[in-house]
PDB file of all heavy atoms in Angstrom:
ATOM      1  N   TYR A 410       6.399 -30.874  13.192  1.00 93.00           N
ATOM      2  CA  TYR A 410       7.747 -30.674  13.754  1.00 93.00           C
ATOM      3  C   TYR A 410       8.304 -32.012  14.214  1.00 93.00           C
ATOM      4  O   TYR A 410       9.479 -32.270  14.087  1.00 93.00           O
ATOM      5  CB  TYR A 410       7.687 -29.690  14.857  1.00 93.00           C
ATOM      6  CG  TYR A 410       9.078 -29.158  15.210  1.00 93.00           C
ATOM      7  CD1 TYR A 410       9.543 -28.043  14.436  1.00 93.00           C
ATOM      8  CD2 TYR A 410       9.843 -29.697  16.175  1.00 93.00           C
ATOM      9  CE1 TYR A 410      10.849 -27.627  14.723  1.00 93.00           C
ATOM     10  CE2 TYR A 410      11.072 -29.255  16.434  1.00 93.00           C
ATOM     11  CZ  TYR A 410      11.601 -28.221  15.718  1.00 93.00           C
ATOM     12  OH  TYR A 410      12.939 -27.733  15.919  1.00 93.00           O
ATOM     13  N   LEU A 411       7.420 -32.882  14.772  1.00 92.00           N
ATOM     14  CA  LEU A 411       7.911 -34.168  15.217  1.00 92.00           C
ATOM     15  C   LEU A 411       8.469 -34.977  13.918  1.00 92.00           C
ATOM     16  O   LEU A 411       9.463 -35.665  14.100  1.00 92.00           O
ATOM     17  CB  LEU A 411       6.720 -34.964  15.761  1.00 92.00           C
ATOM     18  CG  LEU A 411       7.012 -36.356  16.318  1.00 92.00           C
ATOM     19  CD1 LEU A 411       7.940 -36.285  17.556  1.00 92.00           C
ATOM     20  CD2 LEU A 411       5.727 -37.169  16.615  1.00 92.00           C
ATOM     21  N   VAL A 412       7.731 -34.943  12.878  1.00 90.00           N
ATOM     22  CA  VAL A 412       8.260 -35.663  11.656  1.00 90.00           C
ATOM     23  C   VAL A 412       9.550 -35.079  11.244  1.00 90.00           C
ATOM     24  O   VAL A 412      10.484 -35.870  10.925  1.00 90.00           O
ATOM     25  CB  VAL A 412       7.206 -35.575  10.502  1.00 90.00           C
ATOM     26  CG1 VAL A 412       7.788 -36.197   9.213  1.00 90.00           C
ATOM     27  CG2 VAL A 412       5.950 -36.305  10.886  1.00 90.00           C
ATOM     28  N   TYR A 413       9.653 -33.742  11.168  1.00 91.00           N
ATOM     29  CA  TYR A 413      10.933 -33.122  10.799  1.00 91.00           C
ATOM     30  C   TYR A 413      12.090 -33.537  11.746  1.00 91.00           C
ATOM     31  O   TYR A 413      13.127 -33.897  11.284  1.00 91.00           O
ATOM     32  CB  TYR A 413      10.693 -31.552  10.844  1.00 91.00           C
ATOM     33  CG  TYR A 413      11.977 -30.777  11.001  1.00 91.00           C
ATOM     34  CD1 TYR A 413      12.767 -30.450   9.886  1.00 91.00           C
ATOM     35  CD2 TYR A 413      12.372 -30.262  12.238  1.00 91.00           C
ATOM     36  CE1 TYR A 413      13.876 -29.696   9.966  1.00 91.00           C
ATOM     37  CE2 TYR A 413      13.492 -29.439  12.346  1.00 91.00           C
ATOM     38  CZ  TYR A 413      14.236 -29.165  11.204  1.00 91.00           C
ATOM     39  OH  TYR A 413      15.332 -28.444  11.301  1.00 91.00           O
ATOM     40  N   LYS A 414      11.775 -33.572  13.047  1.00 90.00           N
ATOM     41  CA  LYS A 414      12.800 -33.961  13.975  1.00 90.00           C
ATOM     42  C   LYS A 414      13.305 -35.372  13.781  1.00 90.00           C
ATOM     43  O   LYS A 414      14.428 -35.683  13.769  1.00 90.00           O
ATOM     44  CB  LYS A 414      12.231 -33.761  15.382  1.00 90.00           C
ATOM     45  CG  LYS A 414      13.275 -33.388  16.459  1.00 90.00           C
ATOM     46  CD  LYS A 414      12.609 -32.765  17.732  1.00 90.00           C
ATOM     47  CE  LYS A 414      11.829 -33.920  18.488  1.00 90.00           C
ATOM     48  NZ  LYS A 414      11.350 -33.390  19.802  1.00 90.00           N
ATOM     49  N   THR A 415      12.287 -36.206  13.658  1.00 88.00           N
ATOM     50  CA  THR A 415      12.622 -37.627  13.476  1.00 88.00           C
ATOM     51  C   THR A 415      13.351 -37.925  12.259  1.00 88.00           C
ATOM     52  O   THR A 415      14.406 -38.591  12.227  1.00 88.00           O
ATOM     53  CB  THR A 415      11.325 -38.491  13.486  1.00 88.00           C
ATOM     54  OG1 THR A 415      10.448 -38.041  14.535  1.00 88.00           O
ATOM     55  CG2 THR A 415      11.647 -39.953  13.627  1.00 88.00           C
ATOM     56  N   ALA A 416      12.920 -37.286  11.116  1.00 85.00           N
ATOM     57  CA  ALA A 416      13.495 -37.729   9.752  1.00 85.00           C
ATOM     58  C   ALA A 416      14.756 -36.877   9.508  1.00 85.00           C
ATOM     59  O   ALA A 416      15.802 -37.509   9.082  1.00 85.00           O
ATOM     60  CB  ALA A 416      12.458 -37.490   8.715  1.00 85.00           C
ATOM     61  N   LEU A 417      14.684 -35.565   9.715  1.00 85.00           N
ATOM     62  CA  LEU A 417      15.830 -34.742   9.217  1.00 85.00           C
ATOM     63  C   LEU A 417      16.823 -34.418  10.311  1.00 85.00           C
ATOM     64  O   LEU A 417      17.964 -34.051   9.990  1.00 85.00           O
ATOM     65  CB  LEU A 417      15.313 -33.456   8.621  1.00 85.00           C
ATOM     66  CG  LEU A 417      14.440 -33.761   7.318  1.00 85.00           C
ATOM     67  CD1 LEU A 417      14.282 -32.456   6.581  1.00 85.00           C
ATOM     68  CD2 LEU A 417      15.092 -34.791   6.421  1.00 85.00           C
ATOM     69  N   LEU A 418      16.477 -34.542  11.587  1.00 86.00           N
ATOM     70  CA  LEU A 418      17.524 -34.262  12.666  1.00 86.00           C
ATOM     71  C   LEU A 418      18.050 -35.612  13.233  1.00 86.00           C
ATOM     72  O   LEU A 418      19.187 -35.705  13.580  1.00 86.00           O
ATOM     73  CB  LEU A 418      16.919 -33.486  13.780  1.00 86.00           C
ATOM     74  CG  LEU A 418      16.440 -32.066  13.403  1.00 86.00           C
ATOM     75  CD1 LEU A 418      15.977 -31.287  14.621  1.00 86.00           C
ATOM     76  CD2 LEU A 418      17.506 -31.243  12.688  1.00 86.00           C
ATOM     77  N   GLN A 419      17.150 -36.690  13.299  1.00 84.00           N
ATOM     78  CA  GLN A 419      17.681 -37.905  13.804  1.00 84.00           C
ATOM     79  C   GLN A 419      17.841 -38.919  12.586  1.00 84.00           C
ATOM     80  O   GLN A 419      18.328 -40.016  12.948  1.00 84.00           O
ATOM     81  CB  GLN A 419      16.639 -38.524  14.774  1.00 84.00           C
ATOM     82  CG  GLN A 419      16.494 -37.739  16.026  1.00 84.00           C
ATOM     83  CD  GLN A 419      15.218 -37.919  16.855  1.00 84.00           C
ATOM     84  OE1 GLN A 419      14.454 -38.739  16.423  1.00 84.00           O
ATOM     85  NE2 GLN A 419      15.077 -37.174  17.836  1.00 84.00           N
ATOM     86  N   PHE A 420      17.590 -38.546  11.380  1.00 84.00           N
ATOM     87  CA  PHE A 420      17.874 -39.324  10.291  1.00 84.00           C
ATOM     88  C   PHE A 420      17.212 -40.624  10.177  1.00 84.00           C
ATOM     89  O   PHE A 420      17.615 -41.603   9.545  1.00 84.00           O
ATOM     90  CB  PHE A 420      19.344 -39.521   9.969  1.00 84.00           C
ATOM     91  CG  PHE A 420      20.107 -38.227   9.854  1.00 84.00           C
ATOM     92  CD1 PHE A 420      20.916 -37.851  10.893  1.00 84.00           C
ATOM     93  CD2 PHE A 420      20.020 -37.466   8.794  1.00 84.00           C
ATOM     94  CE1 PHE A 420      21.634 -36.626  10.897  1.00 84.00           C
ATOM     95  CE2 PHE A 420      20.648 -36.268   8.675  1.00 84.00           C
ATOM     96  CZ  PHE A 420      21.498 -35.825   9.727  1.00 84.00           C
ATOM     97  N   ASP A 421      16.073 -40.799  11.013  1.00 84.00           N
ATOM     98  CA  ASP A 421      15.300 -41.990  11.061  1.00 84.00           C
ATOM     99  C   ASP A 421      14.255 -41.919   9.983  1.00 84.00           C
ATOM    100  O   ASP A 421      13.163 -41.445  10.273  1.00 84.00           O
ATOM    101  CB  ASP A 421      14.690 -42.181  12.473  1.00 84.00           C
ATOM    102  CG  ASP A 421      13.899 -43.503  12.550  1.00 84.00           C
ATOM    103  OD1 ASP A 421      13.792 -44.221  11.617  1.00 84.00           O
ATOM    104  OD2 ASP A 421      13.351 -43.731  13.635  1.00 84.00           O
ATOM    105  N   ILE A 422      14.555 -42.403   8.769  1.00 84.00           N
ATOM    106  CA  ILE A 422      13.671 -42.330   7.604  1.00 84.00           C
ATOM    107  C   ILE A 422      12.397 -43.158   7.911  1.00 84.00           C
ATOM    108  O   ILE A 422      11.276 -42.760   7.680  1.00 84.00           O
ATOM    109  CB  ILE A 422      14.314 -42.755   6.390  1.00 84.00           C
ATOM    110  CG1 ILE A 422      15.524 -41.832   6.028  1.00 84.00           C
ATOM    111  CG2 ILE A 422      13.446 -42.798   5.197  1.00 84.00           C
ATOM    112  CD1 ILE A 422      15.127 -40.412   5.817  1.00 84.00           C
ATOM    113  N   GLY A 423      12.571 -44.352   8.414  1.00 84.00           N
ATOM    114  CA  GLY A 423      11.430 -45.238   8.665  1.00 84.00           C
ATOM    115  C   GLY A 423      10.405 -44.596   9.673  1.00 84.00           C
ATOM    116  O   GLY A 423       9.265 -44.462   9.368  1.00 84.00           O
ATOM    117  N   GLY A 424      10.984 -44.084  10.796  1.00 84.00           N
ATOM    118  CA  GLY A 424      10.118 -43.510  11.821  1.00 84.00           C
ATOM    119  C   GLY A 424       9.460 -42.269  11.382  1.00 84.00           C
ATOM    120  O   GLY A 424       8.258 -42.062  11.583  1.00 84.00           O
ATOM    121  N   GLY A 425      10.295 -41.403  10.596  1.00 85.00           N
ATOM    122  CA  GLY A 425       9.729 -40.119  10.059  1.00 85.00           C
ATOM    123  C   GLY A 425       8.550 -40.437   9.123  1.00 85.00           C
ATOM    124  O   GLY A 425       7.575 -39.748   9.079  1.00 85.00           O
ATOM    125  N   SER A 426       8.696 -41.539   8.289  1.00 87.00           N
ATOM    126  CA  SER A 426       7.657 -41.833   7.352  1.00 87.00           C
ATOM    127  C   SER A 426       6.382 -42.286   8.068  1.00 87.00           C
ATOM    128  O   SER A 426       5.353 -41.900   7.636  1.00 87.00           O
ATOM    129  CB  SER A 426       8.155 -42.914   6.319  1.00 87.00           C
ATOM    130  OG  SER A 426       9.303 -42.463   5.696  1.00 87.00           O
ATOM    131  N   ALA A 427       6.606 -43.088   9.098  1.00 88.00           N
ATOM    132  CA  ALA A 427       5.496 -43.528   9.873  1.00 88.00           C
ATOM    133  C   ALA A 427       4.679 -42.338  10.452  1.00 88.00           C
ATOM    134  O   ALA A 427       3.491 -42.267  10.328  1.00 88.00           O
ATOM    135  CB  ALA A 427       5.849 -44.465  10.969  1.00 88.00           C
ATOM    136  N   GLY A 428       5.425 -41.304  10.924  1.00 88.00           N
ATOM    137  CA  GLY A 428       4.903 -40.109  11.448  1.00 88.00           C
ATOM    138  C   GLY A 428       4.140 -39.319  10.291  1.00 88.00           C
ATOM    139  O   GLY A 428       3.002 -38.763  10.495  1.00 88.00           O
ATOM    140  N   GLY A 429       4.729 -39.308   9.135  1.00 88.00           N
ATOM    141  CA  GLY A 429       4.155 -38.729   7.932  1.00 88.00           C
ATOM    142  C   GLY A 429       2.803 -39.341   7.603  1.00 88.00           C
ATOM    143  O   GLY A 429       1.825 -38.611   7.310  1.00 88.00           O
ATOM    144  N   VAL A 430       2.756 -40.660   7.693  1.00 90.00           N
ATOM    145  CA  VAL A 430       1.502 -41.389   7.350  1.00 90.00           C
ATOM    146  C   VAL A 430       0.434 -41.024   8.379  1.00 90.00           C
ATOM    147  O   VAL A 430      -0.722 -40.711   8.002  1.00 90.00           O
ATOM    148  CB  VAL A 430       1.686 -42.980   7.357  1.00 90.00           C
ATOM    149  CG1 VAL A 430       0.365 -43.642   7.239  1.00 90.00           C
ATOM    150  CG2 VAL A 430       2.626 -43.325   6.221  1.00 90.00           C
ATOM    151  N   ILE A 431       0.829 -40.899   9.649  1.00 90.00           N
ATOM    152  CA  ILE A 431      -0.132 -40.507  10.701  1.00 90.00           C
ATOM    153  C   ILE A 431      -0.596 -39.069  10.349  1.00 90.00           C
ATOM    154  O   ILE A 431      -1.855 -38.792  10.495  1.00 90.00           O
ATOM    155  CB  ILE A 431       0.492 -40.608  12.028  1.00 90.00           C
ATOM    156  CG1 ILE A 431       0.777 -42.070  12.385  1.00 90.00           C
ATOM    157  CG2 ILE A 431      -0.405 -39.962  13.091  1.00 90.00           C
ATOM    158  CD1 ILE A 431       1.529 -42.302  13.719  1.00 90.00           C
ATOM    159  N   ALA A 432       0.219 -38.155   9.957  1.00 89.00           N
ATOM    160  CA  ALA A 432      -0.173 -36.844   9.593  1.00 89.00           C
ATOM    161  C   ALA A 432      -1.182 -36.888   8.466  1.00 89.00           C
ATOM    162  O   ALA A 432      -2.193 -36.162   8.430  1.00 89.00           O
ATOM    163  CB  ALA A 432       1.037 -35.938   9.207  1.00 89.00           C
ATOM    164  N   ILE A 433      -0.853 -37.693   7.429  1.00 89.00           N
ATOM    165  CA  ILE A 433      -1.867 -37.832   6.375  1.00 89.00           C
ATOM    166  C   ILE A 433      -3.247 -38.303   6.817  1.00 89.00           C
ATOM    167  O   ILE A 433      -4.233 -37.866   6.397  1.00 89.00           O
ATOM    168  CB  ILE A 433      -1.279 -38.784   5.255  1.00 89.00           C
ATOM    169  CG1 ILE A 433      -0.001 -38.145   4.690  1.00 89.00           C
ATOM    170  CG2 ILE A 433      -2.306 -39.013   4.145  1.00 89.00           C
ATOM    171  CD1 ILE A 433       0.700 -39.029   3.689  1.00 89.00           C
ATOM    172  N   VAL A 434      -3.169 -39.336   7.685  1.00 89.00           N
ATOM    173  CA  VAL A 434      -4.487 -39.866   8.185  1.00 89.00           C
ATOM    174  C   VAL A 434      -5.276 -38.804   8.879  1.00 89.00           C
ATOM    175  O   VAL A 434      -6.439 -38.561   8.637  1.00 89.00           O
ATOM    176  CB  VAL A 434      -4.218 -41.071   9.107  1.00 89.00           C
ATOM    177  CG1 VAL A 434      -5.543 -41.527   9.861  1.00 89.00           C
ATOM    178  CG2 VAL A 434      -3.656 -42.314   8.270  1.00 89.00           C
ATOM    179  N   VAL A 435      -4.529 -38.025   9.810  1.00 88.00           N
ATOM    180  CA  VAL A 435      -5.229 -37.007  10.544  1.00 88.00           C
ATOM    181  C   VAL A 435      -5.838 -35.977   9.627  1.00 88.00           C
ATOM    182  O   VAL A 435      -7.008 -35.567   9.718  1.00 88.00           O
ATOM    183  CB  VAL A 435      -4.208 -36.344  11.569  1.00 88.00           C
ATOM    184  CG1 VAL A 435      -4.878 -35.076  12.130  1.00 88.00           C
ATOM    185  CG2 VAL A 435      -3.825 -37.250  12.603  1.00 88.00           C
ATOM    186  N   ALA A 436      -5.041 -35.497   8.602  1.00 88.00           N
ATOM    187  CA  ALA A 436      -5.541 -34.497   7.672  1.00 88.00           C
ATOM    188  C   ALA A 436      -6.719 -34.953   6.876  1.00 88.00           C
ATOM    189  O   ALA A 436      -7.647 -34.241   6.674  1.00 88.00           O
ATOM    190  CB  ALA A 436      -4.473 -34.024   6.745  1.00 88.00           C
ATOM    191  N   ASN A 437      -6.767 -36.317   6.608  1.00 86.00           N
ATOM    192  CA  ASN A 437      -7.859 -36.791   5.772  1.00 86.00           C
ATOM    193  C   ASN A 437      -9.108 -36.946   6.607  1.00 86.00           C
ATOM    194  O   ASN A 437     -10.233 -36.743   6.049  1.00 86.00           O
ATOM    195  CB  ASN A 437      -7.432 -38.102   5.109  1.00 86.00           C
ATOM    196  CG  ASN A 437      -6.654 -37.797   3.805  1.00 86.00           C
ATOM    197  OD1 ASN A 437      -7.333 -37.384   2.777  1.00 86.00           O
ATOM    198  ND2 ASN A 437      -5.439 -38.097   3.799  1.00 86.00           N
ATOM    199  N   VAL A 438      -8.906 -37.377   7.873  1.00 86.00           N
ATOM    200  CA  VAL A 438     -10.064 -37.476   8.702  1.00 86.00           C
ATOM    201  C   VAL A 438     -10.755 -36.100   8.908  1.00 86.00           C
ATOM    202  O   VAL A 438     -11.998 -35.944   8.718  1.00 86.00           O
ATOM    203  CB  VAL A 438      -9.735 -38.048  10.073  1.00 86.00           C
ATOM    204  CG1 VAL A 438     -10.836 -37.923  11.073  1.00 86.00           C
ATOM    205  CG2 VAL A 438      -9.299 -39.533   9.988  1.00 86.00           C
TER     206      VAL A 438
END
Side-chain angles (χ1 to χ4, degrees):
Chain A
Y410 199 83
L411 180 70
V412 173
Y413 159 80
K414 210 165 69 174
T415 313
L417 298 193
L418 299 184
Q419 295 159 3
F420 303 107
D421 179 0
I422 296 299
S426 301
V430 172
I431 293 174
I433 293 173
V434 170
V435 169
N437 277 291
V438 169

